Amino acid sequence: MADVKATLGKFGIPEFSWTPSSGQVRDNTVIAKGLRDCHRRLRTGKLAYRTCAKPRSGIGRIGKMTDFEDETGAFENGEAPDELLSMQIAQRLRTLIATDELKPGERLRERTLAERLDVSRTPLREALKELASDGLVVVLPKRGAVVADLSAAEIAEKLDVLGVIEAFGGEAACRMATDPEIGEIRALHYEMHAAYERRDRMNYFRLNQAIHTSIIAAAKNATLREVHERLNRQLYRYRFQGSVTSETWHTAIDEHEVIIRLLSAREGAKLGDFLRRHVHSTWEQLAPQAELLSEAKDAQ
């Protein structure tokens, strides 16, 4: 038990729990078995953590399940445990950027961020490098790292390209996806709808993103997945901001109903066309605000 706790602490994981499956007895033998399994998965880099409702400390303090990506997705390729903490930090920073807790143009001071996230500066630097490669962070001479600040024109361009990518992915998924894969995407939609009914915006957006990335994954095209992941990350903040109002939130739910129906029917051409328009609708929601911000920035 002590060894497992020490290992978890080494990687900055504040807390975790393990619950025996139905019919098991919660005794020392069963708990030890569960802990050994968690320890094994952690050693192979395949265990991600869920932050708790009242996390003790560390990067988990940012909130309960605030990641916008599937928490296990980042470790599917079996990254070494030494990389796990920096990847977790990078995902937390993406969330802070998307929710405007780190605003466009804001300088990212390493010492301040390290204290805020309760992590050392070495994995933080690695996380910032990852965000820079994503285009979420820009490194400027004599200023260090700052949150990327896209102009209205840049946002529109990226959303246009993302729409084409998702359209292609949707068409391919209709041909390549297995029935179980489509069933899983449908299940994600039901979970997203439940988050909508609870007005749980964080989980709603996380599941929304999971649906889109799962459709791309079902297309079974590694290059498509890589390009989509990179561009989608650059647009996290803007897609999240586009889902803020109640009106756009309800519209998105209705549009996802259509996406799931077309995918289930394997109507590739129709799904591709609808996904292109679905992504473009994000810009229609963002355009007025983005253009006002660009005008204000130009006036400075």
Side-chain angles (χ1 to χ4, degrees):
M1 176 81 72
D3 290 343
V4 173
K5 288 182 178 179
T7 305
L8 291 169
K10 176 181 177 183
F11 294 117
I13 300 177
E15 297 182 37
F16 83 97
S17 61
W18 177 78
T19 304
S21 60
S22 176
Q24 289 182 321
V25 180
R26 189 187 295 269
D27 58 19
N28 291 338
T29 302
V30 173
I31 292 174
K33 180 179 182 298
L35 290 173
R36 283 197 301 271
D37 180 61
C38 288
H39 189 244
R40 174 184 58 77
R41 292 165 62 204
L42 185 62
R43 286 174 60 85
T44 58
K46 294 180 180 178
L47 175 66
Y49 74 91
R50 291 177 178 264
T51 58
C52 300
K54 295 182 179 178
R56 184 183 67 204
S57 64
I59 58 179
R61 69 175 58 164
I62 292 172
K64 181 179 180 181
M65 283 304 296
T66 57
D67 289 356
F68 290 157
E69 291 183 332
D70 183 342
E71 66 195 38
T72 59
F75 310 109
E76 286 178 352
N77 295 326
E79 286 83 356
D82 289 345
E83 300 175 25
L84 187 147
L85 180 55
S86 65
M87 295 172 72
Q88 295 280 9
I89 295 170
Q91 190 55 33
R92 288 295 180 269
L93 291 174
R94 290 187 188 103
T95 299
L96 291 175
I97 291 170
T99 56
D100 264 358
E101 293 183 66
L102 293 174
K103 297 183 181 300
E106 181 175 342
R107 184 178 175 185
L108 301 175
R109 294 176 173 83
E110 283 187 7
R111 179 176 296 178
T112 303
L113 274 179
E115 291 175 355
R116 179 176 183 175
L117 304 181
D118 196 17
V119 296
S120 67
R121 294 171 74 172
T122 298
L124 176 60
R125 288 192 191 104
E126 292 303 312
L128 290 173
K129 288 178 183 178
E130 183 176 339
L131 294 190
S133 69
D134 287 344
L136 290 174
V137 166
V138 179
V139 180
L140 300 175
K142 298 182 180 180
R143 286 197 63 192
V146 299
V147 178
D149 189 3
L150 299 180
S151 68
E154 288 172 325
I155 298 169
E157 287 178 358
K158 290 178 185 293
L159 282 170
D160 281 343
V161 175
L162 185 67
V164 172
I165 290 172
E166 293 216 357
F168 177 81
E171 291 183 27
C174 285
R175 297 193 308 271
M176 303 298 295
T178 64
D179 289 341
E181 286 172 335
I182 292 177
E184 181 60 29
I185 294 170
R186 191 182 302 113
L188 288 171
H189 173 69
Y190 295 146
E191 291 178 36
M192 185 187 74
H193 200 286
Y196 166 74
E197 293 293 345
R198 297 186 186 102
R199 298 303 186 263
D200 182 353
R201 193 172 299 279
M202 284 295 193
N203 260 328
Y204 163 82
F205 189 73
R206 180 180 65 84
L207 290 161
N208 180 308
Q209 290 290 285
I211 290 168
H212 285 273
T213 56
S214 295
I215 291 174
I216 295 296
K220 298 179 174 59
N221 184 316
T223 301
L224 173 69
R225 189 171 183 176
E226 179 182 348
V227 173
H228 178 268
E229 179 179 309
R230 178 179 173 83
L231 185 56
N232 195 43
R233 283 178 172 175
Q234 293 176 29
L235 292 165
Y236 267 166
R237 174 181 179 270
Y238 306 99
R239 298 190 81 175
F240 178 74
Q241 295 300 323
S243 70
V244 167
T245 68
S246 297
E247 182 180 351
T248 57
W249 204 1
H250 181 73
T251 300
I253 284 288
D254 290 342
E255 290 182 358
H256 273 83
E257 292 280 359
V258 177
I259 290 169
I260 298 302
R261 176 172 57 78
L262 293 174
L263 177 63
S264 298
R266 296 185 183 271
E267 297 187 38
K270 290 182 179 179
L271 178 58
D273 182 63
F274 191 83
L275 279 169
R276 187 181 294 106
R277 288 186 280 116
H278 174 70
V279 173
H280 182 72
S281 69
T282 302
W283 174 243
E284 294 174 349
Q285 298 153 15
L286 286 171
Q289 179 184 2
E291 289 168 358
L292 284 174
L293 291 174
S294 291
E295 289 172 4
K297 186 168 63 175
D298 293 341
Q300 292 177 351

PDB file of all heavy atoms in Angstrom, residues 242-274:
ATOM      1  N   GLY A 242     -17.957  29.026 -28.016  1.00  0.00           N
ATOM      2  CA  GLY A 242     -19.114  28.988 -28.901  1.00  0.00           C
ATOM      3  C   GLY A 242     -20.274  28.191 -28.337  1.00  0.00           C
ATOM      4  O   GLY A 242     -21.381  28.234 -28.881  1.00  0.00           O
ATOM      5  N   SER A 243     -20.039  27.455 -27.245  1.00  0.00           N
ATOM      6  CA  SER A 243     -21.111  26.651 -26.653  1.00  0.00           C
ATOM      7  C   SER A 243     -21.650  27.269 -25.372  1.00  0.00           C
ATOM      8  O   SER A 243     -22.395  26.625 -24.637  1.00  0.00           O
ATOM      9  CB  SER A 243     -20.589  25.232 -26.344  1.00  0.00           C
ATOM     10  OG  SER A 243     -19.659  25.272 -25.268  1.00  0.00           O
ATOM     11  N   VAL A 244     -21.287  28.519 -25.105  1.00  0.00           N
ATOM     12  CA  VAL A 244     -21.609  29.126 -23.820  1.00  0.00           C
ATOM     13  C   VAL A 244     -23.083  29.473 -23.671  1.00  0.00           C
ATOM     14  O   VAL A 244     -23.696  29.232 -22.641  1.00  0.00           O
ATOM     15  CB  VAL A 244     -20.740  30.387 -23.576  1.00  0.00           C
ATOM     16  CG1 VAL A 244     -21.278  31.195 -22.408  1.00  0.00           C
ATOM     17  CG2 VAL A 244     -19.299  29.971 -23.311  1.00  0.00           C
ATOM     18  N   THR A 245     -23.711  30.042 -24.701  1.00  0.00           N
ATOM     19  CA  THR A 245     -25.090  30.498 -24.552  1.00  0.00           C
ATOM     20  C   THR A 245     -26.071  29.330 -24.595  1.00  0.00           C
ATOM     21  O   THR A 245     -25.814  28.301 -25.231  1.00  0.00           O
ATOM     22  CB  THR A 245     -25.462  31.491 -25.662  1.00  0.00           C
ATOM     23  OG1 THR A 245     -25.496  30.807 -26.917  1.00  0.00           O
ATOM     24  CG2 THR A 245     -24.459  32.639 -25.742  1.00  0.00           C
ATOM     25  N   SER A 246     -27.201  29.494 -23.945  1.00  0.00           N
ATOM     26  CA  SER A 246     -28.212  28.432 -23.893  1.00  0.00           C
ATOM     27  C   SER A 246     -28.750  28.108 -25.288  1.00  0.00           C
ATOM     28  O   SER A 246     -29.024  26.953 -25.623  1.00  0.00           O
ATOM     29  CB  SER A 246     -29.363  28.860 -22.980  1.00  0.00           C
ATOM     30  OG  SER A 246     -28.907  29.036 -21.652  1.00  0.00           O
ATOM     31  N   GLU A 247     -28.890  29.154 -26.121  1.00  0.00           N
ATOM     32  CA  GLU A 247     -29.434  28.953 -27.461  1.00  0.00           C
ATOM     33  C   GLU A 247     -28.514  28.078 -28.311  1.00  0.00           C
ATOM     34  O   GLU A 247     -28.954  27.117 -28.949  1.00  0.00           O
ATOM     35  CB  GLU A 247     -29.646  30.305 -28.144  1.00  0.00           C
ATOM     36  CG  GLU A 247     -30.249  30.183 -29.539  1.00  0.00           C
ATOM     37  CD  GLU A 247     -30.451  31.535 -30.206  1.00  0.00           C
ATOM     38  OE1 GLU A 247     -30.279  32.560 -29.529  1.00  0.00           O
ATOM     39  OE2 GLU A 247     -30.783  31.540 -31.404  1.00  0.00           O
ATOM     40  N   THR A 248     -27.214  28.404 -28.308  1.00  0.00           N
ATOM     41  CA  THR A 248     -26.278  27.609 -29.108  1.00  0.00           C
ATOM     42  C   THR A 248     -26.123  26.205 -28.531  1.00  0.00           C
ATOM     43  O   THR A 248     -25.906  25.250 -29.275  1.00  0.00           O
ATOM     44  CB  THR A 248     -24.902  28.299 -29.176  1.00  0.00           C
ATOM     45  OG1 THR A 248     -24.402  28.511 -27.842  1.00  0.00           O
ATOM     46  CG2 THR A 248     -24.997  29.643 -29.869  1.00  0.00           C
ATOM     47  N   TRP A 249     -26.234  26.087 -27.222  1.00  0.00           N
ATOM     48  CA  TRP A 249     -26.126  24.784 -26.574  1.00  0.00           C
ATOM     49  C   TRP A 249     -27.262  23.876 -27.049  1.00  0.00           C
ATOM     50  O   TRP A 249     -27.037  22.729 -27.429  1.00  0.00           O
ATOM     51  CB  TRP A 249     -26.186  24.983 -25.062  1.00  0.00           C
ATOM     52  CG  TRP A 249     -25.546  23.890 -24.275  1.00  0.00           C
ATOM     53  CD1 TRP A 249     -24.915  22.789 -24.760  1.00  0.00           C
ATOM     54  CD2 TRP A 249     -25.475  23.801 -22.849  1.00  0.00           C
ATOM     55  NE1 TRP A 249     -24.446  22.009 -23.727  1.00  0.00           N
ATOM     56  CE2 TRP A 249     -24.784  22.607 -22.548  1.00  0.00           C
ATOM     57  CE3 TRP A 249     -25.937  24.596 -21.809  1.00  0.00           C
ATOM     58  CZ2 TRP A 249     -24.539  22.205 -21.234  1.00  0.00           C
ATOM     59  CZ3 TRP A 249     -25.677  24.191 -20.500  1.00  0.00           C
ATOM     60  CH2 TRP A 249     -24.988  23.020 -20.217  1.00  0.00           C
ATOM     61  N   HIS A 250     -28.459  24.372 -27.055  1.00  0.00           N
ATOM     62  CA  HIS A 250     -29.613  23.583 -27.503  1.00  0.00           C
ATOM     63  C   HIS A 250     -29.490  23.229 -28.987  1.00  0.00           C
ATOM     64  O   HIS A 250     -29.793  22.100 -29.399  1.00  0.00           O
ATOM     65  CB  HIS A 250     -30.908  24.367 -27.260  1.00  0.00           C
ATOM     66  CG  HIS A 250     -32.141  23.620 -27.673  1.00  0.00           C
ATOM     67  ND1 HIS A 250     -32.638  22.543 -26.961  1.00  0.00           N
ATOM     68  CD2 HIS A 250     -32.961  23.775 -28.744  1.00  0.00           C
ATOM     69  CE1 HIS A 250     -33.707  22.069 -27.566  1.00  0.00           C
ATOM     70  NE2 HIS A 250     -33.938  22.797 -28.644  1.00  0.00           N
ATOM     71  N   THR A 251     -29.018  24.187 -29.792  1.00  0.00           N
ATOM     72  CA  THR A 251     -28.843  23.935 -31.226  1.00  0.00           C
ATOM     73  C   THR A 251     -27.840  22.821 -31.460  1.00  0.00           C
ATOM     74  O   THR A 251     -28.036  21.947 -32.321  1.00  0.00           O
ATOM     75  CB  THR A 251     -28.387  25.216 -31.944  1.00  0.00           C
ATOM     76  OG1 THR A 251     -29.377  26.227 -31.775  1.00  0.00           O
ATOM     77  CG2 THR A 251     -28.164  24.959 -33.429  1.00  0.00           C
ATOM     78  N   ALA A 252     -26.740  22.841 -30.687  1.00  0.00           N
ATOM     79  CA  ALA A 252     -25.709  21.812 -30.837  1.00  0.00           C
ATOM     80  C   ALA A 252     -26.253  20.423 -30.526  1.00  0.00           C
ATOM     81  O   ALA A 252     -25.912  19.443 -31.200  1.00  0.00           O
ATOM     82  CB  ALA A 252     -24.524  22.127 -29.932  1.00  0.00           C
ATOM     83  N   ILE A 253     -27.105  20.321 -29.511  1.00  0.00           N
ATOM     84  CA  ILE A 253     -27.717  19.033 -29.167  1.00  0.00           C
ATOM     85  C   ILE A 253     -28.544  18.522 -30.347  1.00  0.00           C
ATOM     86  O   ILE A 253     -28.455  17.345 -30.743  1.00  0.00           O
ATOM     87  CB  ILE A 253     -28.594  19.168 -27.910  1.00  0.00           C
ATOM     88  CG1 ILE A 253     -27.724  19.251 -26.649  1.00  0.00           C
ATOM     89  CG2 ILE A 253     -29.570  18.003 -27.787  1.00  0.00           C
ATOM     90  CD1 ILE A 253     -27.054  17.947 -26.266  1.00  0.00           C
ATOM     91  N   ASP A 254     -29.348  19.396 -30.931  1.00  0.00           N
ATOM     92  CA  ASP A 254     -30.174  18.999 -32.078  1.00  0.00           C
ATOM     93  C   ASP A 254     -29.303  18.556 -33.252  1.00  0.00           C
ATOM     94  O   ASP A 254     -29.619  17.568 -33.943  1.00  0.00           O
ATOM     95  CB  ASP A 254     -31.074  20.164 -32.504  1.00  0.00           C
ATOM     96  CG  ASP A 254     -32.173  20.461 -31.487  1.00  0.00           C
ATOM     97  OD1 ASP A 254     -32.442  19.586 -30.650  1.00  0.00           O
ATOM     98  OD2 ASP A 254     -32.737  21.572 -31.538  1.00  0.00           O
ATOM     99  N   GLU A 255     -28.209  19.277 -33.492  1.00  0.00           N
ATOM    100  CA  GLU A 255     -27.329  18.932 -34.608  1.00  0.00           C
ATOM    101  C   GLU A 255     -26.636  17.595 -34.372  1.00  0.00           C
ATOM    102  O   GLU A 255     -26.434  16.809 -35.315  1.00  0.00           O
ATOM    103  CB  GLU A 255     -26.314  20.046 -34.831  1.00  0.00           C
ATOM    104  CG  GLU A 255     -26.942  21.324 -35.385  1.00  0.00           C
ATOM    105  CD  GLU A 255     -25.924  22.419 -35.652  1.00  0.00           C
ATOM    106  OE1 GLU A 255     -24.725  22.207 -35.365  1.00  0.00           O
ATOM    107  OE2 GLU A 255     -26.334  23.486 -36.154  1.00  0.00           O
ATOM    108  N   HIS A 256     -26.283  17.311 -33.123  1.00  0.00           N
ATOM    109  CA  HIS A 256     -25.647  16.025 -32.839  1.00  0.00           C
ATOM    110  C   HIS A 256     -26.622  14.865 -33.015  1.00  0.00           C
ATOM    111  O   HIS A 256     -26.202  13.744 -33.347  1.00  0.00           O
ATOM    112  CB  HIS A 256     -25.039  16.026 -31.431  1.00  0.00           C
ATOM    113  CG  HIS A 256     -23.649  16.569 -31.386  1.00  0.00           C
ATOM    114  ND1 HIS A 256     -23.382  17.910 -31.314  1.00  0.00           N
ATOM    115  CD2 HIS A 256     -22.440  15.949 -31.442  1.00  0.00           C
ATOM    116  CE1 HIS A 256     -22.082  18.102 -31.305  1.00  0.00           C
ATOM    117  NE2 HIS A 256     -21.485  16.930 -31.389  1.00  0.00           N
ATOM    118  N   GLU A 257     -27.891  15.107 -32.782  1.00  0.00           N
ATOM    119  CA  GLU A 257     -28.892  14.069 -33.056  1.00  0.00           C
ATOM    120  C   GLU A 257     -28.840  13.681 -34.535  1.00  0.00           C
ATOM    121  O   GLU A 257     -28.898  12.502 -34.886  1.00  0.00           O
ATOM    122  CB  GLU A 257     -30.294  14.583 -32.707  1.00  0.00           C
ATOM    123  CG  GLU A 257     -30.544  14.799 -31.215  1.00  0.00           C
ATOM    124  CD  GLU A 257     -30.870  13.521 -30.476  1.00  0.00           C
ATOM    125  OE1 GLU A 257     -30.920  12.456 -31.127  1.00  0.00           O
ATOM    126  OE2 GLU A 257     -31.076  13.585 -29.258  1.00  0.00           O
ATOM    127  N   VAL A 258     -28.714  14.671 -35.398  1.00  0.00           N
ATOM    128  CA  VAL A 258     -28.639  14.418 -36.844  1.00  0.00           C
ATOM    129  C   VAL A 258     -27.350  13.675 -37.179  1.00  0.00           C
ATOM    130  O   VAL A 258     -27.348  12.715 -37.980  1.00  0.00           O
ATOM    131  CB  VAL A 258     -28.722  15.739 -37.637  1.00  0.00           C
ATOM    132  CG1 VAL A 258     -28.561  15.473 -39.139  1.00  0.00           C
ATOM    133  CG2 VAL A 258     -30.032  16.458 -37.359  1.00  0.00           C
ATOM    134  N   ILE A 259     -26.234  14.093 -36.576  1.00  0.00           N
ATOM    135  CA  ILE A 259     -24.949  13.439 -36.832  1.00  0.00           C
ATOM    136  C   ILE A 259     -25.022  11.955 -36.493  1.00  0.00           C
ATOM    137  O   ILE A 259     -24.590  11.091 -37.280  1.00  0.00           O
ATOM    138  CB  ILE A 259     -23.828  14.129 -36.019  1.00  0.00           C
ATOM    139  CG1 ILE A 259     -23.546  15.524 -36.581  1.00  0.00           C
ATOM    140  CG2 ILE A 259     -22.551  13.279 -36.032  1.00  0.00           C
ATOM    141  CD1 ILE A 259     -22.650  16.375 -35.701  1.00  0.00           C
ATOM    142  N   ILE A 260     -25.577  11.635 -35.327  1.00  0.00           N
ATOM    143  CA  ILE A 260     -25.672  10.232 -34.905  1.00  0.00           C
ATOM    144  C   ILE A 260     -26.600   9.448 -35.821  1.00  0.00           C
ATOM    145  O   ILE A 260     -26.315   8.291 -36.181  1.00  0.00           O
ATOM    146  CB  ILE A 260     -26.149  10.149 -33.436  1.00  0.00           C
ATOM    147  CG1 ILE A 260     -25.136  10.820 -32.502  1.00  0.00           C
ATOM    148  CG2 ILE A 260     -26.374   8.701 -33.041  1.00  0.00           C
ATOM    149  CD1 ILE A 260     -23.744  10.248 -32.570  1.00  0.00           C
ATOM    150  N   ARG A 261     -27.684  10.056 -36.239  1.00  0.00           N
ATOM    151  CA  ARG A 261     -28.629   9.367 -37.132  1.00  0.00           C
ATOM    152  C   ARG A 261     -27.973   9.047 -38.476  1.00  0.00           C
ATOM    153  O   ARG A 261     -28.104   7.925 -38.992  1.00  0.00           O
ATOM    154  CB  ARG A 261     -29.877  10.222 -37.331  1.00  0.00           C
ATOM    155  CG  ARG A 261     -30.875   9.636 -38.319  1.00  0.00           C
ATOM    156  CD  ARG A 261     -32.182  10.399 -38.344  1.00  0.00           C
ATOM    157  NE  ARG A 261     -31.998  11.818 -38.646  1.00  0.00           N
ATOM    158  CZ  ARG A 261     -31.788  12.307 -39.877  1.00  0.00           C
ATOM    159  NH1 ARG A 261     -31.719  11.486 -40.914  1.00  0.00           N
ATOM    160  NH2 ARG A 261     -31.664  13.603 -40.063  1.00  0.00           N
ATOM    161  N   LEU A 262     -27.255  10.020 -39.046  1.00  0.00           N
ATOM    162  CA  LEU A 262     -26.610   9.800 -40.346  1.00  0.00           C
ATOM    163  C   LEU A 262     -25.471   8.793 -40.246  1.00  0.00           C
ATOM    164  O   LEU A 262     -25.276   7.974 -41.147  1.00  0.00           O
ATOM    165  CB  LEU A 262     -26.100  11.134 -40.900  1.00  0.00           C
ATOM    166  CG  LEU A 262     -27.178  12.162 -41.285  1.00  0.00           C
ATOM    167  CD1 LEU A 262     -26.537  13.486 -41.691  1.00  0.00           C
ATOM    168  CD2 LEU A 262     -28.048  11.631 -42.417  1.00  0.00           C
ATOM    169  N   LEU A 263     -24.717   8.848 -39.149  1.00  0.00           N
ATOM    170  CA  LEU A 263     -23.632   7.884 -38.955  1.00  0.00           C
ATOM    171  C   LEU A 263     -24.201   6.479 -38.801  1.00  0.00           C
ATOM    172  O   LEU A 263     -23.684   5.526 -39.405  1.00  0.00           O
ATOM    173  CB  LEU A 263     -22.807   8.263 -37.729  1.00  0.00           C
ATOM    174  CG  LEU A 263     -21.671   7.312 -37.346  1.00  0.00           C
ATOM    175  CD1 LEU A 263     -20.614   7.256 -38.451  1.00  0.00           C
ATOM    176  CD2 LEU A 263     -21.036   7.737 -36.016  1.00  0.00           C
ATOM    177  N   SER A 264     -25.250   6.332 -38.023  1.00  0.00           N
ATOM    178  CA  SER A 264     -25.860   5.013 -37.803  1.00  0.00           C
ATOM    179  C   SER A 264     -26.401   4.436 -39.103  1.00  0.00           C
ATOM    180  O   SER A 264     -26.351   3.222 -39.324  1.00  0.00           O
ATOM    181  CB  SER A 264     -26.981   5.129 -36.770  1.00  0.00           C
ATOM    182  OG  SER A 264     -26.474   5.570 -35.520  1.00  0.00           O
ATOM    183  N   ALA A 265     -26.899   5.314 -39.979  1.00  0.00           N
ATOM    184  CA  ALA A 265     -27.430   4.873 -41.272  1.00  0.00           C
ATOM    185  C   ALA A 265     -26.330   4.731 -42.320  1.00  0.00           C
ATOM    186  O   ALA A 265     -26.604   4.299 -43.444  1.00  0.00           O
ATOM    187  CB  ALA A 265     -28.483   5.859 -41.762  1.00  0.00           C
ATOM    188  N   ARG A 266     -25.100   5.109 -41.960  1.00  0.00           N
ATOM    189  CA  ARG A 266     -23.929   5.069 -42.850  1.00  0.00           C
ATOM    190  C   ARG A 266     -24.178   5.869 -44.130  1.00  0.00           C
ATOM    191  O   ARG A 266     -23.793   5.447 -45.223  1.00  0.00           O
ATOM    192  CB  ARG A 266     -23.542   3.620 -43.166  1.00  0.00           C
ATOM    193  CG  ARG A 266     -23.099   2.833 -41.936  1.00  0.00           C
ATOM    194  CD  ARG A 266     -22.618   1.450 -42.289  1.00  0.00           C
ATOM    195  NE  ARG A 266     -22.266   0.667 -41.106  1.00  0.00           N
ATOM    196  CZ  ARG A 266     -21.052   0.632 -40.532  1.00  0.00           C
ATOM    197  NH1 ARG A 266     -20.075   1.364 -41.047  1.00  0.00           N
ATOM    198  NH2 ARG A 266     -20.830  -0.108 -39.466  1.00  0.00           N
ATOM    199  N   GLU A 267     -24.776   7.007 -43.988  1.00  0.00           N
ATOM    200  CA  GLU A 267     -25.007   7.906 -45.122  1.00  0.00           C
ATOM    201  C   GLU A 267     -23.838   8.892 -45.194  1.00  0.00           C
ATOM    202  O   GLU A 267     -23.920  10.037 -44.734  1.00  0.00           O
ATOM    203  CB  GLU A 267     -26.344   8.627 -44.964  1.00  0.00           C
ATOM    204  CG  GLU A 267     -27.536   7.677 -44.972  1.00  0.00           C
ATOM    205  CD  GLU A 267     -28.864   8.416 -44.995  1.00  0.00           C
ATOM    206  OE1 GLU A 267     -28.957   9.455 -45.687  1.00  0.00           O
ATOM    207  OE2 GLU A 267     -29.796   7.965 -44.321  1.00  0.00           O
ATOM    208  N   GLY A 268     -22.737   8.428 -45.784  1.00  0.00           N
ATOM    209  CA  GLY A 268     -21.481   9.157 -45.757  1.00  0.00           C
ATOM    210  C   GLY A 268     -21.529  10.545 -46.368  1.00  0.00           C
ATOM    211  O   GLY A 268     -21.034  11.512 -45.778  1.00  0.00           O
ATOM    212  N   ALA A 269     -22.086  10.674 -47.563  1.00  0.00           N
ATOM    213  CA  ALA A 269     -22.110  11.969 -48.241  1.00  0.00           C
ATOM    214  C   ALA A 269     -22.915  12.992 -47.440  1.00  0.00           C
ATOM    215  O   ALA A 269     -22.501  14.147 -47.269  1.00  0.00           O
ATOM    216  CB  ALA A 269     -22.684  11.817 -49.646  1.00  0.00           C
ATOM    217  N   LYS A 270     -24.061  12.557 -46.938  1.00  0.00           N
ATOM    218  CA  LYS A 270     -24.900  13.465 -46.155  1.00  0.00           C
ATOM    219  C   LYS A 270     -24.230  13.841 -44.834  1.00  0.00           C
ATOM    220  O   LYS A 270     -24.297  15.001 -44.396  1.00  0.00           O
ATOM    221  CB  LYS A 270     -26.265  12.827 -45.882  1.00  0.00           C
ATOM    222  CG  LYS A 270     -27.140  12.705 -47.117  1.00  0.00           C
ATOM    223  CD  LYS A 270     -28.499  12.111 -46.756  1.00  0.00           C
ATOM    224  CE  LYS A 270     -29.395  12.011 -47.986  1.00  0.00           C
ATOM    225  NZ  LYS A 270     -30.717  11.412 -47.661  1.00  0.00           N
ATOM    226  N   LEU A 271     -23.580  12.853 -44.202  1.00  0.00           N
ATOM    227  CA  LEU A 271     -22.901  13.148 -42.939  1.00  0.00           C
ATOM    228  C   LEU A 271     -21.749  14.122 -43.156  1.00  0.00           C
ATOM    229  O   LEU A 271     -21.568  15.064 -42.383  1.00  0.00           O
ATOM    230  CB  LEU A 271     -22.388  11.860 -42.295  1.00  0.00           C
ATOM    231  CG  LEU A 271     -21.601  12.054 -40.985  1.00  0.00           C
ATOM    232  CD1 LEU A 271     -22.458  12.768 -39.941  1.00  0.00           C
ATOM    233  CD2 LEU A 271     -21.100  10.718 -40.455  1.00  0.00           C
ATOM    234  N   GLY A 272     -20.969  13.902 -44.220  1.00  0.00           N
ATOM    235  CA  GLY A 272     -19.860  14.803 -44.509  1.00  0.00           C
ATOM    236  C   GLY A 272     -20.331  16.231 -44.715  1.00  0.00           C
ATOM    237  O   GLY A 272     -19.758  17.183 -44.158  1.00  0.00           O
ATOM    238  N   ASP A 273     -21.379  16.395 -45.488  1.00  0.00           N
ATOM    239  CA  ASP A 273     -21.913  17.730 -45.743  1.00  0.00           C
ATOM    240  C   ASP A 273     -22.438  18.368 -44.459  1.00  0.00           C
ATOM    241  O   ASP A 273     -22.211  19.556 -44.206  1.00  0.00           O
ATOM    242  CB  ASP A 273     -23.035  17.648 -46.783  1.00  0.00           C
ATOM    243  CG  ASP A 273     -23.608  19.015 -47.123  1.00  0.00           C
ATOM    244  OD1 ASP A 273     -22.861  19.863 -47.659  1.00  0.00           O
ATOM    245  OD2 ASP A 273     -24.805  19.239 -46.838  1.00  0.00           O
ATOM    246  N   PHE A 274     -23.100  17.564 -43.633  1.00  0.00           N
ATOM    247  CA  PHE A 274     -23.664  18.119 -42.395  1.00  0.00           C
ATOM    248  C   PHE A 274     -22.559  18.491 -41.411  1.00  0.00           C
ATOM    249  O   PHE A 274     -22.655  19.528 -40.728  1.00  0.00           O
ATOM    250  CB  PHE A 274     -24.614  17.110 -41.753  1.00  0.00           C
ATOM    251  CG  PHE A 274     -25.423  17.696 -40.631  1.00  0.00           C
ATOM    252  CD1 PHE A 274     -26.583  18.404 -40.888  1.00  0.00           C
ATOM    253  CD2 PHE A 274     -25.006  17.558 -39.312  1.00  0.00           C
ATOM    254  CE1 PHE A 274     -27.318  18.970 -39.851  1.00  0.00           C
ATOM    255  CE2 PHE A 274     -25.738  18.114 -38.271  1.00  0.00           C
ATOM    256  CZ  PHE A 274     -26.893  18.820 -38.548  1.00  0.00           C
TER     257      PHE A 274
END
